Amino acid sequence: MAGVRAAGVFSRFANSKYSLLSGHASRSLSVSSSVAARTHVSYELKDDVAVIRLNDPTSKVNTLSVQMQAELTEVMGEVWSNGAVKSAVFISTKPGCFIAGADINMIQACKSSEEVTSLSREGQKMFEKIEKSPIPIVAAINGSCLGGGLEFAIACQYRVATKSRKTILGTPEVMLGLLPGAGGTQRLPKMVGLPGAFDMMLTGRNIRADKAKKMGLVHQLVDPLGPGLKPAEERTIEYLEEVAVGVAKGIANKKVSLTKEKGFMQKLQDTVMGLGPVRKQIYKTVSDKVQKQTKGLYPAPVKIIESIQAGVEQGGEAGYVAEATNFGKLAMTSESRALIGLYQGQVICKKNHYGTPEKEVKKLAILGAGLMGAGIAQVSVDKGLTTILKDTAVDGISRGEQQVYKGLNDKVKKKALTSFARDTILSNLSAQLDYSSFKSADMVIEAVFEDINIKHKVLKEVEAVIPPHCIFASNTSALPIKDIAAASKRPEKVIGMHYFSPVDKMQLLEIITTDKTSKDTTASAVSVGLKQGKIIIVVGDGPGFYTTRCLAPMLAEAVRVLQEGVGPKRLDALTTSFGFPVGAATLADEVGIDVAAHVAEDLGKAFGSRFGGGNVDVLKTMVEKGFKGRKSGKGCYIYGKGKKDKSVNPDAEEILKKYKLAAHPAISTDSDIQYRLVSRFVNEAVLCLQENILRNPVEGDIGAVFGLGFPPCLGGPFRFVDSFGAERLVGIMKRFEDIYGNQFTPCQLLLDHAKNPSKKFHK
Amino acid sequence: MASMLLNSLRNCPVCPAWAVQSAARSLSTTVQLQAQVQTKSKKTLARPNVKNIVLVEGVRTPFLLSGTTYSDLMPHDLARAALQGLLHRTAIPKDVVDYIIYGTVIQEVKTSNVAREAALGAGFSDKIPSHTVTMACISSNQAMTSAVGLIAAGQCDAVVAGGVEFMSDVPIRHSRKMRKTMLSLNKAKTLGQRLSLLGSIRLAHLSPELPAVAEFSTSETMGHSADRLAAAFGVSRVEQDEFALRSHSLAKKAQDAGLLQDVISFKVPGRDIVSQDNGIRPSSMEQMAKLKPAFIKPHGTVTAANSSFLTDGASAVLIMSEEKALAMGYKPKAYLRDFVYVSQDPKDQLLLGPTYGTPKVLERAGLTMSDIDVFEFHEAFAGQIMANLKAMDSDWFAQTYMGRKSKVGTPPMDKFNLWGGSLSLGHPFGATGCRLVTTVAHRLQKEGGQYGLVAACAAGGQGHAMVIEAYPK
């Protein structure tokens, strides 16, 4: 058997010598004829270098799936047993992806932490073999090299990466509530130093190639090529391979050194890091920081620190054992499940489920150059949409244009964009006061003041100048779209596009369709949103749609809690310790007290006493006094010039005292307050699903987390009900209902789930 | 007589280059091609009711490595030398010229309209208007075609065009912050204001700003882009070194044979008379192979030896309407015919100007590659030339990026840059264009061909090509 394989290798060797000249056609031929059984991994010899190519034909990205691992092991066995091979190169032939990570399904399929631990051990062993390979192995990286892919690459002896924008390295496991479980926690500290390794693994951020080179994560960079005799990307991969093969040969005949001469700073840093107390201090600092940021709600960062520490302090084997054990434990946590659920939901919400629109939107017009309008303009010009930003006043336009410029220029400052690219992008923007050239617009998004009369006025004005195919989208946060569409001559072209502030930071876009909105209009809106880089949920029409409707009862409860004498600071502490990234009082200030008052009143009218709780007059009084939140400098808090200093607004506390309510001691413990806030949110979300405002729980979870900051560790309201238990939640709500009435009455769907524990929103 | 001989040689049906080309082309063009084998597509490019514009004379100073004999001059001194050389060669009266245009890239701030300063200094009448143009490495091409435009439009009859580049001295500026402080200092009224401004100067403000060799739009240096371009087209280091060696060897041969007649002698004040280019250094492949890559390290292929070097030099040509030239008793050297300017992606196709320009200008002129007897392409980098040759030979490239049905084809090497090129003769950015055109005219005369083609790339992702027709003997 081995003999046959060896012969095969040699015959291919002979082939490849000639195929160097004739190029691709003969090469692929030689591979396909010799290894018919393997589909993911193939290899050929280029002189004495084994070039191992990865490509998962069943997916857009390469993952370390069972199949991939099996074929890799097989191929490596052949390569190592072939005496003619002096070095090897790993490369992916998939454009834009080296290896995007481990296969999540593989982990999800496991039933126990022991099972996951053994998966991790296997991965560790495989990479250990690569690390101890008798021949040097070069990883040639183009595109995403993440998670398991990065762990694979850092097990190799040398790394060459393209400078392509798509080339990113990182360990995003922490964002899935996991840790790098195939040696990452052990190898990274040695490679990039303790602080660098902590930073990478605890933030999970993506590192671009040039940064990776500086950190010592890759050895050599290759420039991406433009078009030549083949498409740019194809030729770039070939070129990367040529360079990597050259390096591999160089390492094999000792012309390229694997150890880099350490600079003075590096040596100094190593010496300092060699001191036990220094390291101890680092562990402590990092742990404290993690504790402060996660409030103990996320177990993964803690386990990552533990695993790194075990490796550094107790040596390799202990480290690997700790890594594998912790990986197993983490995989079974509800937090990890919630985060993986969010990741998968996000993937779903980044697809257009409504088909390709008949006419692609190329020219977008935005009405109102306020915070929202300009924000929408920024994310649009950024993606090459020709954009008109229209306002009624020169001041408004000037402010709006400046906002777009600043948004882009901040990227220049961070070196994510060149000043030249910024200018080119800005050339897509046309700021104007009139409706000129609206006649060639494909879509108009209005972001004018939230008043139905003004909305009707602009709708009519716009419809007089736009072409028949042009879509009219309203960026309203609460007004029902059908009420806006009532003034339209063509309601099938009217849709809601609810962006979140700040538009360039918030990933969510809530699209609202009425009964009359055509499918093509929806497809267009989704397609524009996707182009703008948004995660999209599509919901039915109604007061407050989905997101605003969930938030309103929670804020109403927050106001009541404030009226009951809980200060804004304590309220914030209670909500953030539950997992909300922003406290309820701060959130109200961010949203704007006036907006909150407006929404509370509108939705209060629409839904009646269920939306009661806090007294709307509290908010109204605050608005009257000019406490509109952050934008006016005063709200629940007073905002100073520096971003950090904020103190409670004593005048607002005065108002709260005026509207003081007596707290019910039976339901006013810290935990009770938290559940009063959260249960109203969750109940309203479930009701939205019950009333078909939401199409499915996935979009409900995504909308709540990405739009409203629902605790990501809980995975969204629906996953929260699943993991917390509907019965338990209903029990708690009943206790509140006894005192406050229908605001806490669980909806029918929630009751159904409580009755039948086998009913789950997520499978 | 000689030309008839050459013509019959070209007509020889078994010429291998033709055989290969026609075989590679589609059937439909083969018929047409065979017709071309016998005669040119067109007897002349003269058109009824279109003024014939001629090149009367072209000269240049010797091109020297920057920092050598010219190092103490100023740019207009070099331009002056070229103009005086032209005056001397043509003996044209100093007030007959209607207009003077010069091309330059890195401008000396004291002589920003270098054309005017040089013209005055060269003794031209002060009644002759002059202006300066800039278009990177095709600046003097732009000067010449602007001249052609003035004559064609009937505005002028005789125009001097030229180019100059002086890399021995370039404007190095204070940093922006320092400049700002210094300008504010001008306006400061009180001692207190002045002192506080002076106090605001930090050490970092003193670091100077060099003129960028990089593309403004992409921040990429040209050598870096050339290396990527070579890699994109799979041009090897050996191919590049071979081409560079060819350029130097041919230049040396031409220099030794006295073919570079456009070079004038120039007495540099305080130094010797310079009468030869000094960058021609035929080396060996082994020597060249030893050099490390200059831009992309460690795996790049563009080195100092296969790139053009920083050069000082100036050129000048006299362009006239045919009538005027004949009336004045001149024997023109060549007709300047169709020309085009092209531009493309400044990042990945920065140096592909010749590929884009060649088919376009041939189409305008109604000629094909096989009609051209003399090719003079600007050699910025050996890798750039080889990449262009490969691009011109690729149907895929022509279809995918140029929106053309098929490739234009590559120039046969036995007609290509036979007297050396920018790699060996040197490349004073602003002056190269005139050298190319003059060389085509001289080669057409010497080799007896009829049509010549000039093509060049330029920073900004631009390019130029021009067809030149020999003046009948």
Side-chain angles (χ1 to χ4, degrees):
Chain A
M1 188 62 200
V4 175
R5 273 199 191 138
V9 166
F10 279 121
S11 71
R12 247 173 291 138
F13 179 39
N15 267 346
S16 70
K17 259 186 122 172
Y18 295 105
S19 74
L20 273 181
L21 293 170
S22 58
H24 205 75
S26 66
R27 188 186 309 146
S28 55
L29 198 75
S30 71
V31 171
S32 60
S33 63
S34 51
V35 279
R38 285 200 286 259
T39 51
H40 290 49
V41 185
S42 64
Y43 82 104
E44 75 164 309
L45 278 185
K46 282 196 164 177
D47 300 329
D48 54 9
V49 184
V51 177
I52 301 158
R53 300 194 177 91
L54 316 171
N55 189 4
D56 181 346
T58 60
S59 162
K60 266 197 204 164
V61 292
N62 288 330
T63 52
L64 287 171
S65 58
V66 178
Q67 174 87 3
M68 183 73 89
Q69 289 190 30
E71 290 190 19
L72 258 179
T73 312
E74 200 180 297
V75 165
M76 283 320 293
E78 287 174 31
V79 167
W80 279 321
S81 62
N82 184 343
V85 178
K86 298 280 181 273
S87 57
V89 168
F90 276 119
I91 189 162
S92 155
T93 54
K94 201 171 274 299
C97 178
F98 177 69
I99 298 174
D103 185 356
I104 298 181
N105 298 329
M106 218 162 77
I107 299 161
Q108 282 189 312
C110 293
K111 297 276 178 289
S112 70
S113 65
E114 288 73 23
E115 241 179 285
V116 182
T117 299
S118 80
L119 265 185
S120 165
R121 288 300 276 173
E122 279 167 35
Q124 287 176 352
K125 271 181 209 148
M126 184 165 94
F127 292 162
E128 193 188 354
K129 272 195 198 156
I130 288 173
E131 186 176 37
K132 296 193 172 144
S133 163
I135 55 165
I137 301 176
V138 177
I141 303 160
N142 177 53
S144 46
C145 174
L146 301 172
L150 181 75
E151 295 180 282
F152 178 40
I154 59 173
C156 296
Q157 279 71 33
Y158 201 88
R159 282 159 297 285
V160 185
T162 64
K163 274 194 243 172
S164 157
R165 288 194 82 81
K166 286 182 190 162
T167 300
I168 41 167
L169 297 91
T171 46
E173 286 89 344
V174 70
M175 295 198 263
L176 300 179
L178 300 168
L179 56 74
T185 62
Q186 305 306 304
R187 285 192 188 92
L188 272 178
K190 287 180 200 150
M191 202 158 284
V192 300
L194 213 42
F198 275 130
D199 179 50
M200 276 181 74
M201 286 186 271
L202 293 177
T203 63
R205 68 193 171 91
N206 290 333
I207 296 164
R208 282 207 297 269
D210 44 356
K211 179 86 201 297
K213 168 101 195 307
K214 271 188 207 137
M215 290 171 70
L217 208 52
V218 300
H219 298 82
Q220 191 172 327
L221 296 179
V222 170
D223 287 276
L225 301 181
L229 300 174
K230 287 173 187 172
E233 176 109 37
E234 192 183 328
R235 176 62 196 142
T236 299
I237 294 175
E238 256 181 40
Y239 179 53
L240 171 66
E241 185 181 307
E242 287 162 20
V243 173
V245 166
V247 169
K249 282 182 189 168
I251 301 172
N253 44 21
K254 311 251 183 288
K255 277 187 188 148
V256 175
S257 165
L258 287 174
T259 48
K260 212 176 111 191
E261 188 77 20
K262 279 182 180 170
F264 171 73
M265 282 311 289
Q266 189 63 42
K267 277 184 192 158
L268 183 74
Q269 198 183 340
D270 287 358
T271 317
V272 174
M273 287 300 158
L275 305 170
V278 173
R279 287 203 305 273
K280 216 172 204 172
Q281 188 55 42
I282 290 180
Y283 299 134
K284 193 178 165 317
T285 315
V286 173
S287 301
D288 291 350
K289 210 170 163 191
V290 161
Q291 180 57 34
K292 203 176 155 207
Q293 282 183 1
T294 64
K295 318 231 179 271
L297 296 168
Y298 295 82
V302 181
K303 296 289 180 198
I304 289 172
I305 298 171
E306 239 177 76
S307 306
I308 295 177
Q309 194 170 356
V312 175
E313 303 303 327
Q314 298 158 42
E317 191 43 37
Y320 281 106
V321 171
E323 179 185 276
T325 322
N326 284 331
F327 188 67
K329 283 183 193 158
L330 286 176
M332 290 297 129
T333 57
S334 66
E335 289 85 357
S336 173
R337 279 202 204 96
L339 291 170
I340 290 176
L342 283 176
Y343 169 74
Q344 289 168 334
Q346 184 191 320
V347 171
I348 293 170
C349 293
K350 283 211 159 192
K351 286 194 182 123
N352 193 341
H353 305 279
Y354 297 84
T356 316
E358 280 164 29
K359 195 165 188 313
E360 192 194 340
V361 173
K362 289 190 178 144
K363 191 166 184 179
L364 181 68
I366 297 160
L367 301 177
L371 211 58
M372 293 303 283
I376 300 168
Q378 188 195 325
V379 298
S380 306
V381 287
D382 207 359
K383 302 299 183 310
L385 280 168
T386 308
T387 308
I388 299 171
L389 187 59
K390 186 205 169 292
D391 204 296
T392 47
V394 175
D395 287 357
I397 276 292
S398 168
R399 198 215 61 82
E401 254 193 297
Q402 178 60 27
Q403 185 188 329
V404 178
Y405 175 83
K406 188 176 177 294
L408 293 170
N409 199 44
D410 286 350
K411 285 191 187 174
V412 174
K413 282 187 190 152
K414 284 184 205 148
K415 300 211 167 137
L417 202 68
T418 65
S419 60
F420 197 83
R422 173 199 66 204
D423 298 345
T424 319
I425 290 170
L426 276 173
S427 70
N428 290 325
L429 183 72
S430 149
Q432 58 192 52
L433 294 170
D434 56 18
Y435 285 110
S436 63
S437 77
F438 268 58
K439 61 178 178 295
S440 56
D442 301 307
M443 179 182 274
V444 175
I445 301 177
E446 67 79 14
V448 299
F449 190 70
E450 293 271 70
D451 178 323
I452 191 78
N453 297 318
I454 297 177
K455 303 256 181 201
H456 280 169
K457 183 174 161 269
V458 298
L459 174 62
K460 282 177 187 152
E461 277 174 21
V462 164
E463 281 195 345
V465 289
I466 53 175
H469 74 271
C470 182
I471 290 162
F472 184 91
S474 174
N475 171 55
T476 171
S477 50
L479 295 174
I481 303 301
K482 64 172 182 298
D483 294 354
I484 294 172
S488 170
K489 286 182 278 184
R490 356 154 285 160
E492 73 281 0
K493 295 280 183 195
V494 180
I495 196 165
M497 288 173 87
H498 178 200
Y499 291 86
F500 293 76
S501 185
V503 181
D504 60 327
K505 301 269 163 29
M506 296 293 283
Q507 286 177 284
L508 192 75
L509 168 62
E510 183 181 31
I511 289 179
I512 305 104
T513 60
T514 69
D515 301 341
K516 289 183 182 156
T517 307
S518 76
K519 195 183 162 205
D520 185 57
T521 300
T522 314
S524 260
V526 174
S527 147
V528 167
L530 288 176
K531 203 178 256 179
Q532 292 166 334
K534 297 292 169 201
I535 299 171
I536 294 168
I537 62 170
V538 178
V539 303
D541 194 19
F545 328 124
Y546 167 63
T547 50
T548 311
R549 185 170 156 184
C550 290
L551 190 61
M554 183 167 123
L555 281 184
E557 194 61 29
V559 171
R560 170 153 61 197
V561 170
L562 288 171
Q563 282 177 273
E564 287 176 355
V566 174
K569 286 223 155 145
R570 195 164 146 238
L571 175 62
D572 274 357
L574 286 174
T575 29
T576 51
S577 69
F578 196 79
F580 282 91
V582 177
T586 309
L587 184 66
D589 274 2
E590 296 283 343
V591 170
I593 303 294
D594 51 339
V595 176
H598 215 270
V599 166
E601 201 167 21
D602 277 2
L603 295 190
K605 272 182 208 154
F607 294 104
S609 57
R610 181 156 54 85
F611 272 54
N615 190 339
V616 184
D617 292 338
V618 175
L619 297 173
K620 281 188 176 166
T621 316
M622 280 176 78
V623 176
E624 274 165 27
K625 297 231 167 159
F627 307 149
K628 292 184 184 171
R630 167 149 235 158
K631 56 190 168 190
S632 64
K634 276 183 183 179
C636 299
Y637 295 97
I638 296 175
Y639 295 88
K641 271 190 188 152
K643 274 183 179 166
K644 286 202 171 148
D645 56 324
K646 66 174 184 193
S647 52
V648 175
N649 181 1
D651 296 333
E653 284 196 309
E654 215 41 54
I655 296 170
L656 287 169
K657 266 185 201 143
K658 207 174 111 194
Y659 290 99
K660 191 165 174 55
L661 295 172
H664 287 266
I667 49 168
S668 292
T669 65
D670 282 359
S671 146
D672 280 339
I673 290 173
Q674 285 175 333
Y675 283 113
R676 273 163 58 188
L677 292 162
V678 173
S679 64
R680 287 189 67 178
F681 186 121
V682 171
N683 186 44
E684 202 61 36
V686 175
L687 190 56
C688 282
L689 183 64
Q690 183 185 313
E691 291 179 357
N692 288 325
I693 294 282
L694 273 177
R695 294 183 308 153
N696 53 51
V698 172
E699 287 185 321
D701 282 347
I702 294 294
V705 172
F706 289 95
L708 305 172
F710 192 88
C713 56
L714 302 177
F718 294 95
R719 196 169 294 274
F720 169 70
V721 173
D722 281 355
S723 60
F724 187 79
E727 201 182 353
R728 196 171 146 209
L729 184 64
V730 165
I732 293 174
M733 287 181 76
K734 290 250 154 95
R735 222 158 37 81
F736 301 152
E737 189 185 10
D738 289 342
I739 293 170
Y740 289 127
N742 71 339
Q743 290 142 15
F744 287 94
T745 310
C747 69
Q748 190 54 45
L749 186 58
L750 193 58
L751 289 172
D752 292 349
H753 276 246
K755 253 181 237 151
N756 182 355
S758 70
K759 268 198 171 177
K760 296 273 180 201
F761 290 111
H762 294 283
K763 291 282 166 294
Chain B
M1 190 57 207
S3 80
M4 278 172 70
L5 248 173
L6 270 166
N7 262 327
S8 65
L9 250 178
R10 270 197 301 276
N11 293 345
C12 171
V14 287
C15 186
W18 293 124
V20 173
Q21 279 202 10
S22 55
R25 291 197 183 182
S26 69
L27 204 67
S28 61
T29 56
T30 318
V31 182
Q32 203 193 345
L33 201 78
Q34 260 157 8
Q36 288 159 17
V37 171
Q38 275 137 33
T39 54
K40 297 279 181 192
S41 307
K42 281 183 167 181
K43 279 203 179 121
T44 173
L45 293 177
R47 280 176 212 146
N49 303 323
V50 174
K51 230 181 235 179
N52 279 326
I53 295 163
V54 294
L55 175 78
V56 175
E57 185 56 274
V59 298
R60 63 180 176 93
T61 68
F63 287 175
L64 301 191
L65 296 160
S66 65
T68 58
T69 316
Y70 294 151
S71 58
D72 295 329
L73 299 178
M74 281 180 70
H76 73 285
D77 292 326
L78 281 177
R80 214 155 46 88
L83 286 173
Q84 278 174 324
L86 189 71
L87 280 171
H88 183 70
R89 280 265 173 101
T90 57
I92 192 166
K94 287 180 177 175
D95 54 357
V96 168
V97 172
D98 298 315
Y99 206 98
I100 296 173
I101 310 171
Y102 250 75
T104 195
V105 179
I106 310 249
Q107 278 172 299
E108 161 63 50
V109 286
K110 286 184 191 161
T111 57
S112 61
N113 186 2
V114 70
R116 178 66 175 161
E117 313 308 337
L120 288 173
F124 276 93
S125 156
D126 60 6
K127 302 287 186 293
I128 306 173
S130 345
H131 80 264
T132 302
V133 293
T134 187
M135 200 175 182
C137 303
I138 50 178
S139 295
S140 60
N141 303 81
Q142 185 53 260
M144 286 184 290
T145 54
S146 300
V148 168
L150 285 172
I151 298 170
Q155 296 288 316
C156 300
D157 282 316
V159 181
V160 169
V164 59
E165 206 64 45
F166 188 66
M167 297 303 289
S168 291
D169 181 33
V170 292
I172 296 171
R173 301 198 290 181
H174 270 297
S175 67
R176 180 79 189 248
K177 281 195 174 128
M178 191 65 188
R179 275 162 19 221
K180 199 173 172 187
T181 313
M182 289 161 97
L183 288 171
S184 315
L185 213 51
N186 271 343
K187 290 178 199 147
K189 291 205 173 69
T190 66
L191 183 67
Q193 283 174 339
R194 281 191 204 114
L195 284 177
S196 88
L197 276 167
L198 286 172
S200 73
I201 297 172
R202 299 281 168 272
L203 202 59
H205 298 181
L206 294 173
S207 65
E209 218 175 79
L210 292 158
V213 207
E215 280 294 299
F216 181 72
S217 61
T218 61
S219 309
E220 187 181 24
T221 63
M222 195 177 271
H224 196 276
S225 189
D227 204 321
R228 286 198 305 114
L229 186 73
F233 282 92
V235 179
S236 70
R237 167 77 182 267
V238 172
E239 277 177 282
Q240 295 179 44
D241 286 356
E242 275 171 2
F243 185 85
L245 186 56
R246 172 192 189 269
S247 181
H248 279 280
S249 311
L250 289 174
K252 180 87 177 101
K253 238 161 94 187
Q255 193 179 50
D256 291 348
L259 295 173
L260 307 178
Q261 293 160 3
D262 53 341
V263 180
I264 53 156
S265 291
F266 174 24
K267 169 70 177 85
V268 181
R271 306 256 196 149
D272 295 335
I273 291 181
V274 185
S275 48
Q276 272 200 336
D277 303 326
N278 72 356
I280 308 172
R281 293 160 299 173
S283 169
S284 67
M285 288 297 286
E286 293 71 39
Q287 282 290 322
M288 292 173 88
K290 280 184 194 156
L291 285 180
K292 289 204 167 131
F295 301 99
I296 294 185
K297 295 158 188 172
H299 53 270
T301 52
V302 172
T303 68
N306 59 36
S307 316
S308 55
F309 48 86
L310 293 182
T311 314
D312 299 338
S315 55
V317 296
L318 176 59
I319 299 173
M320 293 175 116
S321 64
E322 187 180 23
E323 295 169 84
K324 176 84 174 183
L326 295 177
M328 289 187 70
Y330 285 117
K331 169 83 179 153
K333 292 190 178 225
Y335 292 110
L336 302 182
R337 298 298 195 192
D338 297 272
F339 61 85
V340 296
Y341 287 93
V342 292
S343 58
Q344 62 280 338
D345 172 17
K347 174 146 185 66
D348 289 331
Q349 305 191 351
L350 182 69
L351 304 171
L352 285 182
T355 301
Y356 281 83
T358 301
K360 215 170 156 188
V361 79
L362 288 176
E363 220 164 70
R364 271 189 75 90
L367 299 178
T368 67
M369 271 311 234
S370 55
D371 290 315
I372 305 295
D373 304 296
V374 165
F375 291 90
E376 281 295 328
F377 277 35
H378 162 49
E379 301 167 347
F381 300 88
Q384 164 259 332
I385 284 286
M386 298 308 290
N388 271 285
L389 295 183
K390 293 193 182 206
M392 290 165 84
D393 200 26
S394 163
D395 278 325
W396 183 82
F397 189 85
Q399 286 156 4
T400 318
Y401 290 96
M402 296 165 65
R404 305 190 67 86
K405 286 204 183 84
S406 60
K407 65 185 181 185
V408 63
T410 45
M413 289 315 270
D414 56 358
K415 294 177 180 173
F416 190 82
N417 293 9
L418 289 188
W419 295 355
S422 301
L423 286 173
S424 45
L425 300 171
H427 172 39
F429 309 137
T432 291
C434 289
R435 176 187 70 73
L436 294 170
V437 168
T438 308
T439 306
V440 167
H442 286 166
R443 275 184 61 199
L444 285 171
Q445 285 184 332
K446 183 85 185 163
E447 298 166 14
Q450 191 188 355
Y451 295 122
L453 176 72
V454 161
C457 58
Q462 312 211 72
H464 167 73
M466 181 190 256
V467 173
I468 293 151
E469 184 178 347
Y471 199 82
K473 290 197 169 167

